[in-house]
Amino acid sequence: MTVVDEAAHGVAAATGRVAGRPPARRRNTMSYGFISIYAILALAFGVLPATYAIFLAFTDAEGGFAGLANFSKVVDDFRFWPAVTHVAFYLLIWLVSLVVLVTLLAIVVHAIAVRWLSRTLRFVFYLPGALAGASSVLLWLFVLDPTVSPVAGLLHLFGFESFVEVINPGNLPVIFAIVAFWTGAGGWIVIMYGALNNISDEVMEAARMDGASPVQIAWNIQLPMLRKWISYMGIMSLAAGTQLFVEPQLLSQASNAIVPNDYSLNQLAYQYAFQQNDFNGAAAISLLLLVIALALSAVFVTRGGLFERD
């Protein structure tokens, strides 16, 4: 490269016109454009509905100020605390299994040296997530029926002889956790795998040279560096888990109400809104769900150091 070429290249770099890279002003315009689209969607489908829900929760059917009357009404409803218990047990089982098994499977897949096998496993894990939530539940309706299930032998081994026995309300938190894990774990495994790829090769090699075993590397290096990703997974999964609706609703219809139609808090809010025509009570339940989700998410944020700078 001549002196003239070097000078031209320097001028182009200074003005942001290096080949393959748009000028800084254009990049800023594109960034503001994407942010504006997100802001509009968040305002239309997030902030405004939430504001309207707050308005409904603190007013009566005539629009007058009701204070905490709507909250007292739904909390005193005999269906409220059973629904809270159902969702709490489901979340406990699901979040623990998700954090433990997803992290473990991601580390195992990342440790596989055979590239084609690693890619195949990631694809297999992700595949169930391609199904929509309702489709997954319909598929599981067949899996949980011992008369037609491909794993009928396993169901018989646990003492289940009929579909009614399988979907006994006492078994539902475990069943819903299995369905949710089967549907959503694959995507998180792929995300965790990508996070593991960001760990420096020099750090991993230094640990191996110091005689660290794969288990020690996973426990002392990979897990601490995955802490923020695990926290992020917990927050997103918690937000989805508190909204439990599709699975119990479809099971309720398929079982002729053996599974109650007010099993979860979201179902109870649906009953208030569209069966009792009480949108104020439904809004109160939605705000209670929001407060609970935010409080639990704060635990993941503080314990996981999600906003800490490395």
Side-chain angles (χ1 to χ4, degrees):
M1 181 182 291
T2 65
V3 175
V4 175
D5 291 335
E6 290 179 354
H9 181 79
V11 172
T15 56
R17 290 193 294 270
V18 177
R21 184 178 181 183
R25 181 176 298 177
R26 182 183 172 188
R27 292 200 307 274
N28 290 337
T29 303
M30 293 173 61
S31 301
Y32 290 137
F34 283 119
I35 293 173
S36 299
I37 294 173
Y38 173 80
I40 292 172
L41 293 175
L43 181 65
F45 299 103
V47 176
L48 292 180
T51 303
Y52 185 55
I54 294 172
F55 169 77
L56 287 176
F58 288 97
T59 56
D60 54 26
E62 287 73 33
F65 182 70
L68 300 177
N70 291 316
F71 296 93
S72 299
K73 174 178 60 181
V74 298
V75 170
D76 292 337
D77 192 317
F78 70 95
R79 300 168 294 179
F80 180 80
W81 289 109
V84 171
T85 303
H86 297 155
V87 174
F89 275 122
Y90 158 69
L91 283 176
L92 178 63
I93 298 170
W94 182 36
L95 289 178
V96 170
S97 62
L98 196 68
V99 170
V100 174
L101 294 179
V102 164
T103 306
L104 177 62
L105 289 172
I107 291 175
V108 169
V109 173
H110 188 266
I112 296 175
V114 183
R115 182 172 297 181
W116 68 267
L117 180 58
S118 177
R119 289 179 177 176
T120 303
L121 287 175
R122 276 178 281 156
F123 175 75
V124 171
F125 287 143
Y126 179 74
L127 195 58
L131 293 175
S135 302
S136 296
V137 177
L138 292 175
L139 174 63
W140 276 90
L141 289 178
F142 291 95
V143 174
L144 296 173
D145 189 345
T147 60
V148 296
S149 175
V151 293
L154 183 61
L155 294 175
H156 292 315
L157 183 64
F158 283 97
F160 299 124
E161 300 296 333
S162 67
F163 181 64
V164 173
E165 293 179 356
V166 175
I167 62 170
N168 182 283
N171 301 330
L172 291 180
V174 176
I175 291 175
F176 292 148
I178 293 174
V179 174
F181 184 87
W182 181 81
T183 304
W188 286 114
I189 290 173
V190 174
I191 292 174
M192 292 292 179
Y193 182 92
L196 288 168
N197 284 336
N198 288 329
I199 299 177
S200 172
D201 292 335
E202 290 77 8
V203 173
M204 302 291 288
E205 188 61 31
R208 294 189 188 98
M209 292 180 65
D210 288 340
S213 66
V215 174
Q216 290 174 323
I217 291 175
W219 184 260
N220 296 313
I221 296 177
Q222 292 175 315
L223 279 179
M225 291 188 174
L226 283 177
R227 187 168 61 116
K228 291 184 178 181
W229 289 98
I230 294 173
S231 176
Y232 175 69
M233 177 177 65
I235 292 172
M236 299 302 293
S237 301
L238 179 65
T242 53
Q243 305 301 316
L244 181 66
F245 179 81
V246 174
E247 292 86 350
Q249 188 73 8
L250 288 179
L251 275 183
S252 177
Q253 296 174 3
S255 64
N256 294 323
I258 292 176
V259 178
N261 58 9
D262 51 15
Y263 180 84
S264 70
L265 288 171
N266 245 3
Q267 284 182 290
L268 183 58
Y270 181 86
Q271 293 294 317
Y272 265 92
F274 300 106
Q275 298 297 325
Q276 301 172 207
N277 199 31
D278 185 355
F279 290 94
N280 304 94
I285 294 175
S286 70
L287 283 188
L288 290 173
L289 269 175
L290 177 62
V291 171
I292 293 171
L294 288 176
L296 294 176
S297 297
V299 175
F300 280 97
V301 170
T302 54
R303 299 293 296 177
L306 191 61
F307 298 128
E308 294 178 0
R309 289 197 172 188
D310 295 329

